[in-house]
Amino acid sequence: AAGGVAANRGLVFRRAAVLPEDGGGAARRSVEVLPRVACRKLGAYDGQSVEQWALRAGLPPAGRFDELTSNMYERTQKPLLMLFVDTRHPDLTAWLRLLHDADQRYNRGGDDDDGGGLKVVFLYIDGTQYLHRMTSLGLAPDPQRLPALTFNSMTEQVLTWQPPLEDYARGAARLSADVVDSLVQRYLRGDGRRVE
């Protein structure tokens, strides 16, 4: 047979069944494919529909929010931490790394109430293209004041990070892991002002 299953080894493919001998009469080595296993507690998916589980499990750690993806992210029913950026800015990669790292800290390390492990969805959005969306999320629609962070949630809670224009002009408006962590921690504690 071209392949077999060993109880403790995974799939083993014998090349001799499909490849010619190496010239000296000996068959070439076997190729072993080990199974990829991810374990979760048995109750980890309780209370969550298959659709919600598949949707949340398939999200990237730092996704792009736009007209093609907005419906998918909104269907997660989770708070969205949105980073408004100028996508042509040379620091974009570093800023996305901050979101990726925050996703690893808050979403990939443990379980939450619904078993999905997803507490916050980390996204970036083209702040120059979607400048008009900033006001409804508590930000000033000013392309000179990017990057800026805000939560888009299903509550009336508004939390933002967008320093004054003067801070951007003199280089003091620095997006960092501490800024992201502070905003996420404040959200998880229920801080923030109410929308009126």
Side-chain angles (χ1 to χ4, degrees):
V5 177
N8 62 349
R9 292 180 46 202
L11 297 174
V12 178
F13 295 94
R14 304 208 193 304
R15 289 186 180 180
V18 293
L19 297 174
E21 297 176 353
D22 66 1
R28 294 188 179 147
R29 289 188 3 204
S30 296
V31 176
E32 186 173 333
V33 180
L34 296 176
R36 187 172 170 201
V37 178
C39 297
R40 293 188 66 89
K41 295 186 288 189
L42 288 176
Y45 304 112
D46 291 349
Q48 190 175 172
S49 72
V50 172
E51 177 187 16
Q52 279 294 310
W53 173 82
L55 177 65
R56 293 175 186 177
L59 295 177
R64 182 179 176 111
F65 190 89
D66 57 27
E67 64 274 355
L68 297 176
T69 62
S70 61
N71 187 41
M72 175 184 65
Y73 288 116
E74 289 165 355
R75 286 179 41 210
T76 65
Q77 299 176 351
K78 291 293 184 176
L80 310 176
L81 180 62
M82 304 177 85
L83 173 62
F84 280 81
V85 297
D86 178 345
T87 57
R88 299 166 299 182
H89 196 283
D91 289 335
L92 178 61
T93 303
W95 296 335
L96 294 180
R97 171 58 65 189
L98 292 173
L99 294 183
H100 176 273
D101 293 347
D103 176 74
Q104 297 302 306
R105 283 190 302 281
Y106 292 103
N107 294 331
R108 310 297 178 193
D111 296 325
D112 65 0
D113 295 348
D114 65 13
L118 186 65
K119 294 176 186 70
V120 176
V121 177
F122 295 91
L123 304 170
Y124 74 101
I125 183 169
D126 186 335
T128 57
Q129 181 179 358
Y130 295 101
L131 204 60
H132 62 282
R133 293 207 53 176
M134 294 176 76
T135 303
S136 65
L137 295 169
L139 298 170
D142 184 350
Q144 301 301 312
R145 292 179 65 191
L146 298 176
L149 281 169
T150 187
F151 268 98
N152 184 6
S153 66
M154 296 169 39
T155 68
E156 296 177 349
Q157 186 177 8
V158 176
L159 282 169
T160 64
W161 176 84
Q162 188 181 35
L165 181 59
E166 300 77 36
D167 289 354
Y168 286 93
R170 61 186 168 88
R174 305 286 257 171
L175 181 61
S176 66
D178 289 340
V179 168
V180 174
D181 282 338
S182 173
L183 206 59
V184 171
Q185 288 298 321
R186 287 173 50 212
Y187 179 83
L188 294 175
R189 283 193 313 261
D191 294 350
R193 66 183 196 279
R194 301 288 174 212
V195 177
E196 300 186 18

